[in-house]
């Protein structure tokens, strides 16, 4: 099953990767791995994660302060924990 990131999530993701790359390339790679792992966890066991509304679920990334929101397990948003997350979903 394919999945996509919402366009705003792609922007946030790219900015975060850029930020972590400026710190250390290894940290940026760990961030990418963490986000991919979070997507995998949501898709493998969706019932483990909080339902926000209808088929919308949220899962915290490991290590990094980011939250992924999944809509029907195929469209994802990404947000820093201190930011407004997924306004387009609610």
């Amino acid at each position: 099953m394919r999945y996509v990131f919402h366009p705003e999530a792609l922007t946030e993701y790219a900015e975060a990767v850029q930020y972590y790359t400026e710190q250390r390339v290894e940290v940026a790679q760990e961030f990418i791995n963490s986000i991919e792992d979070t997507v995998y966890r949501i898709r493998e066991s969706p019932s483990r994660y909080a339902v926000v509304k209808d088929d919308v679920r949220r899962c915290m990334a490991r290590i990094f302060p980011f939250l992924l929101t999944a809509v029907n397990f195929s469209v994802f948003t990404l947000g820093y924990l201190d930011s407004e997350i997924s306004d387009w979903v609610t």
Side-chain angles (χ1 to χ4, degrees):
M1 180 191 285
R2 291 189 38 187
Y3 68 89
V4 296
F5 281 97
H6 185 274
E8 291 177 22
L10 280 177
T11 300
E12 181 116 18
Y13 189 41
E15 289 172 356
V17 169
Q18 180 62 38
Y19 170 78
Y20 290 122
T21 299
E22 291 169 3
Q23 308 309 307
R24 280 189 34 224
V25 172
E26 297 84 3
V27 175
Q29 186 59 56
E30 186 63 28
F31 173 71
I32 292 166
N33 294 345
S34 176
I35 297 304
E36 289 177 359
D37 175 66
T38 305
V39 170
Y40 175 81
R41 288 185 292 130
I42 292 173
R43 295 184 71 202
E44 287 298 306
S45 301
S47 62
R48 293 181 59 197
Y49 303 99
V51 174
V52 177
K53 175 178 135 180
D54 301 325
D55 284 336
V56 178
R57 294 180 184 268
R58 290 193 174 151
C59 180
M60 176 82 172
R62 293 183 176 148
I63 303 172
F64 296 90
F66 282 82
L67 186 67
L68 266 74
T69 303
V71 181
N72 296 322
F73 315 111
S74 60
V75 178
F76 289 83
T77 66
L78 174 72
Y80 186 71
L81 287 181
D82 287 345
S83 65
E84 291 296 318
I85 301 170
S86 307
D87 288 336
W88 64 275
V89 182
T90 58

